[in-house]
Amino acid sequence: MKKGAWAALLIMALSLAALPPAWKKVSSGSEEIVITQEVLSGDPSAAGGITLETATHWDGHLLWETAYTIGSGEQAKSDFTFSSEEVRWNRVERKNAYVYSTAGYGSAATYSGTAVNPEDFPFPEITQAAADRTKPGETHTETVRTGDYVDLYPLDFGIDGSSVEYGGDYNENVRYLTELFHISTGEDYMEITTEKNGEGTLIAVSSQMVSDEEASRFAIAGASAFGEAGFYYAYECENSVDGRVADRGQNSGIFYQPFGQEDGWLSVDVTEMRKVCGIPERTIPEAMLLDGENGRLYLEIRGEEAYRLCIYRLDGDIPVLTQDIPIRRNDILTEGAAAGEKIMWNENIEDYSARPVLRQIQKEGDNLLITWSDNGFAFVVREGQEEGGYNLWCNGTFPDYLEQDRKVVGEKPFPGENGCVFDGERLVLAAFEDWMSVNALVAVYREEGEIYCGLYRHSGAADEDESDLYLYENRILPQGQANWRYFWDGLTGELYREGADTPVRPLKIS
């Protein structure tokens, strides 16, 4: 045997010998994984023939690809590999476009004692006017009606998930977008404080938006979808208190922005952005998916009575609405909101959201799975090739059987990381039971609702009574789990092993 092979075997042996007791308990000297079925509700034969596949690892060195076919009577089959070098994973960030006000709603201040330029602050017209009313050596505070100085909120937009080179002059771009989106300052007010030194030089400015009227508090709610040569962006002004549409005289709808691509960079000229169609009245856009291959654009919106899916046919780059399908009631409250509580992420941040948050639209063959943050879902099927052929086949809530003291704070895995199979008669969904477990939940649905749910226990999962249940060290995890973004941002793009081009799916079914 060559020296290199002997060295590799020695490294592996030393690594295995050094593994902690938890690993030895899991494997008992074998790399095989055992999957055990636990029926939670219904008849397990409903899931017969479904193959559950998991990709797991221990500390980035021991890796398993495991497949288990439900109802086959056979044991799980695993491919085990050892890597002397720690394996790492990365997720590709999805591109996302967003519009924001360059004026902002926060504060801006400097106390350097040097001269301050009003042009560097939100609404320079207001800053200059307040400075003119400030005497040397004084600090002056006043509240002004924003609309007395500026009719529209100055707007810009950004793109996440890619390097971007913006063409043209920045100030001209802001003016173009401000006129295009046309969001009025309305009856908003600004509190501004200015300070001058004894020589009359402006040395400090702070400002913030103030409002006594709940109806005037608004945010820009938007969704985007990227193609090869451009992206679509839909937006509406949303009342920040009740979640309904806020009337600001805005030019809301769906917009199209072409771009160029070179060496991983997007080249964007925002003065080429144009409105291509409207959206249904009194609705808030939440998610968008572009299917360039079939010439379709899907837009999920929240109406006053229901969440809805809009299907557009693309005529060139112009979307033409062909269907508007109600897919879920919108009066469903989150668990905390239903109990009249605020959900605390930590001592400094509060989540006031009373509704489940739409997470994503994912394409499953010709069909669509739409998921929400509370494990809610809607499954829309395409029947035939004619327009108008999409129908809501089933909606419901993916199960959550964890005891409260075992739940990790934050979102459940299912909305962003799931498996889906549809054969025309049954819909099968799967997800890890929580972010720190390799046990998988499998649920089967007919059109009328759930008919089976089972937990498929992985022999590498930590025991419930172990003190290190939620520690990274000393346990088997889904591949990619070491990347913290996998916890809280399950909606990023595909997962890749560093140095490889093939995507990794921690869990899938077929």
Side-chain angles (χ1 to χ4, degrees), residues 95-128:
K95 297 183 184 71
N96 175 58
Y98 55 93
V99 169
Y100 62 95
S101 170
T102 59
Y105 282 95
S107 61
T110 178
Y111 299 98
S112 64
T114 59
V116 172
N117 185 355
E119 293 293 329
D120 295 335
F121 291 85
F123 296 121
E125 301 90 340
I126 297 176
T127 303
Q128 185 62 63

mmCIF file of all heavy atoms in Angstrom, residues 95-128:
data_model
loop_
_atom_site.group_PDB
_atom_site.id
_atom_site.type_symbol
_atom_site.label_atom_id
_atom_site.label_comp_id
_atom_site.label_asym_id
_atom_site.label_seq_id
_atom_site.Cartn_x
_atom_site.Cartn_y
_atom_site.Cartn_z
ATOM 1 N N LYS A 95 -31.101 37.094 -5.187
ATOM 2 C CA LYS A 95 -31.174 38.519 -5.501
ATOM 3 C C LYS A 95 -32.522 39.067 -5.049
ATOM 4 O O LYS A 95 -33.563 38.413 -5.180
ATOM 5 C CB LYS A 95 -30.996 38.753 -7.000
ATOM 6 C CG LYS A 95 -29.643 38.326 -7.559
ATOM 7 C CD LYS A 95 -29.554 38.670 -9.027
ATOM 8 C CE LYS A 95 -28.253 38.177 -9.636
ATOM 9 N NZ LYS A 95 -28.219 36.701 -9.768
ATOM 10 N N ASN A 96 -32.482 40.268 -4.519
ATOM 11 C CA ASN A 96 -33.689 40.913 -4.020
ATOM 12 C C ASN A 96 -33.573 42.411 -4.244
ATOM 13 O O ASN A 96 -32.564 43.025 -3.885
ATOM 14 C CB ASN A 96 -33.874 40.627 -2.525
ATOM 15 C CG ASN A 96 -35.038 41.372 -1.943
ATOM 16 O OD1 ASN A 96 -36.174 41.225 -2.396
ATOM 17 N ND2 ASN A 96 -34.788 42.208 -0.940
ATOM 18 N N ALA A 97 -34.595 43.012 -4.847
ATOM 19 C CA ALA A 97 -34.618 44.456 -5.080
ATOM 20 C C ALA A 97 -35.575 45.107 -4.095
ATOM 21 O O ALA A 97 -36.599 44.515 -3.718
ATOM 22 C CB ALA A 97 -35.047 44.761 -6.512
ATOM 23 N N TYR A 98 -35.251 46.315 -3.679
ATOM 24 C CA TYR A 98 -36.114 47.019 -2.731
ATOM 25 C C TYR A 98 -35.977 48.520 -2.958
ATOM 26 O O TYR A 98 -34.931 49.025 -3.371
ATOM 27 C CB TYR A 98 -35.747 46.666 -1.288
ATOM 28 C CG TYR A 98 -34.301 46.913 -0.941
ATOM 29 C CD1 TYR A 98 -33.885 48.122 -0.371
ATOM 30 C CD2 TYR A 98 -33.331 45.940 -1.208
ATOM 31 C CE1 TYR A 98 -32.558 48.355 -0.072
ATOM 32 C CE2 TYR A 98 -31.993 46.164 -0.915
ATOM 33 C CZ TYR A 98 -31.609 47.368 -0.349
ATOM 34 O OH TYR A 98 -30.294 47.599 -0.064
ATOM 35 N N VAL A 99 -37.072 49.221 -2.678
ATOM 36 C CA VAL A 99 -37.104 50.677 -2.777
ATOM 37 C C VAL A 99 -37.143 51.244 -1.368
ATOM 38 O O VAL A 99 -37.789 50.681 -0.476
ATOM 39 C CB VAL A 99 -38.333 51.139 -3.580
ATOM 40 C CG1 VAL A 99 -38.530 52.651 -3.472
ATOM 41 C CG2 VAL A 99 -38.172 50.746 -5.039
ATOM 42 N N TYR A 100 -36.457 52.338 -1.146
ATOM 43 C CA TYR A 100 -36.437 52.957 0.173
ATOM 44 C C TYR A 100 -36.361 54.470 0.027
ATOM 45 O O TYR A 100 -35.949 54.990 -1.021
ATOM 46 C CB TYR A 100 -35.261 52.445 1.001
ATOM 47 C CG TYR A 100 -33.908 52.762 0.417
ATOM 48 C CD1 TYR A 100 -33.191 53.889 0.819
ATOM 49 C CD2 TYR A 100 -33.341 51.945 -0.558
ATOM 50 C CE1 TYR A 100 -31.943 54.181 0.283
ATOM 51 C CE2 TYR A 100 -32.101 52.230 -1.105
ATOM 52 C CZ TYR A 100 -31.404 53.346 -0.681
ATOM 53 O OH TYR A 100 -30.180 53.637 -1.225
ATOM 54 N N SER A 101 -36.780 55.160 1.067
ATOM 55 C CA SER A 101 -36.714 56.613 1.068
ATOM 56 C C SER A 101 -35.334 57.057 1.530
ATOM 57 O O SER A 101 -34.854 56.620 2.579
ATOM 58 C CB SER A 101 -37.786 57.206 1.987
ATOM 59 O OG SER A 101 -37.577 58.591 2.152
ATOM 60 N N THR A 102 -34.712 57.918 0.765
ATOM 61 C CA THR A 102 -33.405 58.445 1.164
ATOM 62 C C THR A 102 -33.542 59.407 2.338
ATOM 63 O O THR A 102 -32.552 59.759 2.974
ATOM 64 C CB THR A 102 -32.728 59.164 -0.008
ATOM 65 O OG1 THR A 102 -33.555 60.244 -0.452
ATOM 66 C CG2 THR A 102 -32.498 58.205 -1.163
ATOM 67 N N ALA A 103 -34.778 59.844 2.623
ATOM 68 C CA ALA A 103 -34.998 60.719 3.785
ATOM 69 C C ALA A 103 -35.005 59.917 5.069
ATOM 70 O O ALA A 103 -34.569 60.378 6.119
ATOM 71 C CB ALA A 103 -36.310 61.477 3.640
ATOM 72 N N GLY A 104 -35.518 58.709 5.017
ATOM 73 C CA GLY A 104 -35.533 57.840 6.178
ATOM 74 C C GLY A 104 -36.510 58.300 7.243
ATOM 75 O O GLY A 104 -37.169 59.326 7.141
ATOM 76 N N TYR A 105 -36.612 57.492 8.313
ATOM 77 C CA TYR A 105 -37.474 57.825 9.440
ATOM 78 C C TYR A 105 -36.707 57.869 10.744
ATOM 79 O O TYR A 105 -37.260 58.062 11.794
ATOM 80 C CB TYR A 105 -38.602 56.788 9.565
ATOM 81 C CG TYR A 105 -39.690 56.999 8.564
ATOM 82 C CD1 TYR A 105 -39.682 56.309 7.358
ATOM 83 C CD2 TYR A 105 -40.706 57.910 8.805
ATOM 84 C CE1 TYR A 105 -40.695 56.515 6.428
ATOM 85 C CE2 TYR A 105 -41.713 58.122 7.870
ATOM 86 C CZ TYR A 105 -41.691 57.421 6.692
ATOM 87 O OH TYR A 105 -42.676 57.625 5.768
ATOM 88 N N GLY A 106 -35.405 57.688 10.663
ATOM 89 C CA GLY A 106 -34.625 57.673 11.891
ATOM 90 C C GLY A 106 -34.080 59.051 12.206
ATOM 91 O O GLY A 106 -34.755 60.064 12.056
ATOM 92 N N SER A 107 -32.866 59.119 12.651
ATOM 93 C CA SER A 107 -32.262 60.400 12.983
ATOM 94 C C SER A 107 -30.880 60.473 12.363
ATOM 95 O O SER A 107 -30.277 59.476 12.016
ATOM 96 C CB SER A 107 -32.171 60.580 14.497
ATOM 97 O OG SER A 107 -31.353 59.572 15.050
ATOM 98 N N ALA A 108 -30.385 61.696 12.211
ATOM 99 C CA ALA A 108 -29.032 61.905 11.709
ATOM 100 C C ALA A 108 -28.429 63.038 12.516
ATOM 101 O O ALA A 108 -29.075 64.058 12.731
ATOM 102 C CB ALA A 108 -29.059 62.268 10.225
ATOM 103 N N ALA A 109 -27.220 62.855 12.986
ATOM 104 C CA ALA A 109 -26.631 63.893 13.831
ATOM 105 C C ALA A 109 -25.126 63.820 13.780
ATOM 106 O O ALA A 109 -24.549 62.767 13.496
ATOM 107 C CB ALA A 109 -27.107 63.747 15.275
ATOM 108 N N THR A 110 -24.486 64.933 14.048
ATOM 109 C CA THR A 110 -23.044 64.977 14.228
ATOM 110 C C THR A 110 -22.728 65.975 15.329
ATOM 111 O O THR A 110 -23.386 66.997 15.462
ATOM 112 C CB THR A 110 -22.316 65.373 12.930
ATOM 113 O OG1 THR A 110 -20.918 65.441 13.184
ATOM 114 C CG2 THR A 110 -22.781 66.722 12.416
ATOM 115 N N TYR A 111 -21.732 65.648 16.153
ATOM 116 C CA TYR A 111 -21.335 66.540 17.247
ATOM 117 C C TYR A 111 -19.832 66.782 17.187
ATOM 118 O O TYR A 111 -19.171 66.929 18.201
ATOM 119 C CB TYR A 111 -21.732 65.925 18.591
ATOM 120 C CG TYR A 111 -23.219 65.719 18.713
ATOM 121 C CD1 TYR A 111 -23.778 64.475 18.455
ATOM 122 C CD2 TYR A 111 -24.058 66.784 19.024
ATOM 123 C CE1 TYR A 111 -25.153 64.289 18.531
ATOM 124 C CE2 TYR A 111 -25.431 66.603 19.105
ATOM 125 C CZ TYR A 111 -25.969 65.359 18.854
ATOM 126 O OH TYR A 111 -27.330 65.176 18.919
ATOM 127 N N SER A 112 -19.307 66.827 15.970
ATOM 128 C CA SER A 112 -17.873 66.958 15.803
ATOM 129 C C SER A 112 -17.375 68.371 16.075
ATOM 130 O O SER A 112 -16.192 68.589 16.286
ATOM 131 C CB SER A 112 -17.482 66.559 14.380
ATOM 132 O OG SER A 112 -18.072 67.462 13.451
ATOM 133 N N GLY A 113 -18.294 69.349 16.044
ATOM 134 C CA GLY A 113 -17.877 70.730 16.247
ATOM 135 C C GLY A 113 -17.423 71.396 14.971
ATOM 136 O O GLY A 113 -17.116 72.585 14.963
ATOM 137 N N THR A 114 -17.369 70.642 13.878
ATOM 138 C CA THR A 114 -17.012 71.224 12.588
ATOM 139 C C THR A 114 -18.279 71.621 11.855
ATOM 140 O O THR A 114 -19.389 71.297 12.262
ATOM 141 C CB THR A 114 -16.207 70.231 11.752
ATOM 142 O OG1 THR A 114 -16.988 69.045 11.562
ATOM 143 C CG2 THR A 114 -14.911 69.854 12.459
ATOM 144 N N ALA A 115 -18.114 72.293 10.724
ATOM 145 C CA ALA A 115 -19.273 72.765 9.974
ATOM 146 C C ALA A 115 -20.084 71.603 9.432
ATOM 147 O O ALA A 115 -19.545 70.590 8.981
ATOM 148 C CB ALA A 115 -18.811 73.673 8.836
ATOM 149 N N VAL A 116 -21.410 71.730 9.492
ATOM 150 C CA VAL A 116 -22.337 70.722 8.998
ATOM 151 C C VAL A 116 -23.014 71.251 7.742
ATOM 152 O O VAL A 116 -23.475 72.398 7.721
ATOM 153 C CB VAL A 116 -23.391 70.385 10.074
ATOM 154 C CG1 VAL A 116 -24.467 69.484 9.500
ATOM 155 C CG2 VAL A 116 -22.722 69.734 11.272
ATOM 156 N N ASN A 117 -23.085 70.395 6.708
ATOM 157 C CA ASN A 117 -23.734 70.775 5.450
ATOM 158 C C ASN A 117 -25.163 70.256 5.440
ATOM 159 O O ASN A 117 -25.376 69.048 5.524
ATOM 160 C CB ASN A 117 -22.945 70.210 4.278
ATOM 161 C CG ASN A 117 -23.488 70.676 2.935
ATOM 162 O OD1 ASN A 117 -24.520 71.348 2.862
ATOM 163 N ND2 ASN A 117 -22.791 70.319 1.872
ATOM 164 N N PRO A 118 -26.170 71.123 5.330
ATOM 165 C CA PRO A 118 -27.564 70.659 5.288
ATOM 166 C C PRO A 118 -27.832 69.641 4.187
ATOM 167 O O PRO A 118 -28.741 68.812 4.313
ATOM 168 C CB PRO A 118 -28.354 71.953 5.060
ATOM 169 C CG PRO A 118 -27.495 73.022 5.650
ATOM 170 C CD PRO A 118 -26.086 72.596 5.350
ATOM 171 N N GLU A 119 -27.042 69.674 3.105
ATOM 172 C CA GLU A 119 -27.247 68.736 2.002
ATOM 173 C C GLU A 119 -26.956 67.295 2.411
ATOM 174 O O GLU A 119 -27.363 66.361 1.720
ATOM 175 C CB GLU A 119 -26.360 69.120 0.818
ATOM 176 C CG GLU A 119 -26.727 70.444 0.163
ATOM 177 C CD GLU A 119 -28.087 70.393 -0.521
ATOM 178 O OE1 GLU A 119 -28.465 69.296 -0.998
ATOM 179 O OE2 GLU A 119 -28.764 71.431 -0.576
ATOM 180 N N ASP A 120 -26.249 67.110 3.534
ATOM 181 C CA ASP A 120 -25.901 65.760 3.971
ATOM 182 C C ASP A 120 -26.986 65.119 4.824
ATOM 183 O O ASP A 120 -26.808 63.987 5.284
ATOM 184 C CB ASP A 120 -24.587 65.800 4.775
ATOM 185 C CG ASP A 120 -23.403 66.226 3.927
ATOM 186 O OD1 ASP A 120 -23.462 66.030 2.695
ATOM 187 O OD2 ASP A 120 -22.442 66.772 4.494
ATOM 188 N N PHE A 121 -28.098 65.808 5.054
ATOM 189 C CA PHE A 121 -29.142 65.306 5.939
ATOM 190 C C PHE A 121 -30.437 65.082 5.181
ATOM 191 O O PHE A 121 -30.653 65.648 4.099
ATOM 192 C CB PHE A 121 -29.369 66.299 7.089
ATOM 193 C CG PHE A 121 -28.223 66.367 8.046
ATOM 194 C CD1 PHE A 121 -27.131 67.192 7.803
ATOM 195 C CD2 PHE A 121 -28.214 65.581 9.179
ATOM 196 C CE1 PHE A 121 -26.063 67.235 8.673
ATOM 197 C CE2 PHE A 121 -27.146 65.619 10.069
ATOM 198 C CZ PHE A 121 -26.070 66.450 9.809
ATOM 199 N N PRO A 122 -31.314 64.243 5.744
ATOM 200 C CA PRO A 122 -32.620 64.052 5.121
ATOM 201 C C PRO A 122 -33.342 65.397 4.947
ATOM 202 O O PRO A 122 -33.277 66.263 5.826
ATOM 203 C CB PRO A 122 -33.367 63.150 6.113
ATOM 204 C CG PRO A 122 -32.286 62.459 6.876
ATOM 205 C CD PRO A 122 -31.166 63.438 6.969
ATOM 206 N N PHE A 123 -34.021 65.548 3.821
ATOM 207 C CA PHE A 123 -34.755 66.770 3.511
ATOM 208 C C PHE A 123 -33.883 68.012 3.740
ATOM 209 O O PHE A 123 -34.099 68.778 4.687
ATOM 210 C CB PHE A 123 -36.025 66.870 4.351
ATOM 211 C CG PHE A 123 -37.025 65.792 4.061
ATOM 212 C CD1 PHE A 123 -37.444 64.941 5.057
ATOM 213 C CD2 PHE A 123 -37.547 65.650 2.781
ATOM 214 C CE1 PHE A 123 -38.364 63.945 4.793
ATOM 215 C CE2 PHE A 123 -38.477 64.649 2.506
ATOM 216 C CZ PHE A 123 -38.883 63.792 3.512
ATOM 217 N N PRO A 124 -32.894 68.239 2.907
ATOM 218 C CA PRO A 124 -32.007 69.395 3.099
ATOM 219 C C PRO A 124 -32.750 70.725 3.091
ATOM 220 O O PRO A 124 -32.313 71.685 3.734
ATOM 221 C CB PRO A 124 -31.030 69.290 1.919
ATOM 222 C CG PRO A 124 -31.677 68.384 0.928
ATOM 223 C CD PRO A 124 -32.511 67.438 1.720
ATOM 224 N N GLU A 125 -33.896 70.788 2.392
ATOM 225 C CA GLU A 125 -34.671 72.030 2.384
ATOM 226 C C GLU A 125 -35.141 72.384 3.799
ATOM 227 O O GLU A 125 -35.105 73.545 4.210
ATOM 228 C CB GLU A 125 -35.884 71.900 1.462
ATOM 229 C CG GLU A 125 -35.553 71.572 0.004
ATOM 230 C CD GLU A 125 -35.513 70.079 -0.257
ATOM 231 O OE1 GLU A 125 -35.366 69.286 0.702
ATOM 232 O OE2 GLU A 125 -35.633 69.699 -1.434
ATOM 233 N N ILE A 126 -35.586 71.353 4.535
ATOM 234 C CA ILE A 126 -36.056 71.588 5.898
ATOM 235 C C ILE A 126 -34.880 71.916 6.814
ATOM 236 O O ILE A 126 -34.956 72.807 7.672
ATOM 237 C CB ILE A 126 -36.828 70.357 6.418
ATOM 238 C CG1 ILE A 126 -38.079 70.127 5.555
ATOM 239 C CG2 ILE A 126 -37.201 70.516 7.881
ATOM 240 C CD1 ILE A 126 -38.868 68.889 5.930
ATOM 241 N N THR A 127 -33.772 71.193 6.634
ATOM 242 C CA THR A 127 -32.594 71.440 7.460
ATOM 243 C C THR A 127 -32.093 72.870 7.279
ATOM 244 O O THR A 127 -31.759 73.560 8.258
ATOM 245 C CB THR A 127 -31.479 70.448 7.097
ATOM 246 O OG1 THR A 127 -31.970 69.114 7.249
ATOM 247 C CG2 THR A 127 -30.269 70.631 8.005
ATOM 248 N N GLN A 128 -32.044 73.338 6.028
ATOM 249 C CA GLN A 128 -31.563 74.694 5.774
ATOM 250 C C GLN A 128 -32.500 75.729 6.383
ATOM 251 O O GLN A 128 -32.057 76.716 6.989
ATOM 252 C CB GLN A 128 -31.435 74.937 4.275
ATOM 253 C CG GLN A 128 -30.834 76.291 3.901
ATOM 254 C CD GLN A 128 -29.431 76.443 4.425
ATOM 255 O OE1 GLN A 128 -28.525 75.705 4.052
ATOM 256 N NE2 GLN A 128 -29.218 77.437 5.319
#
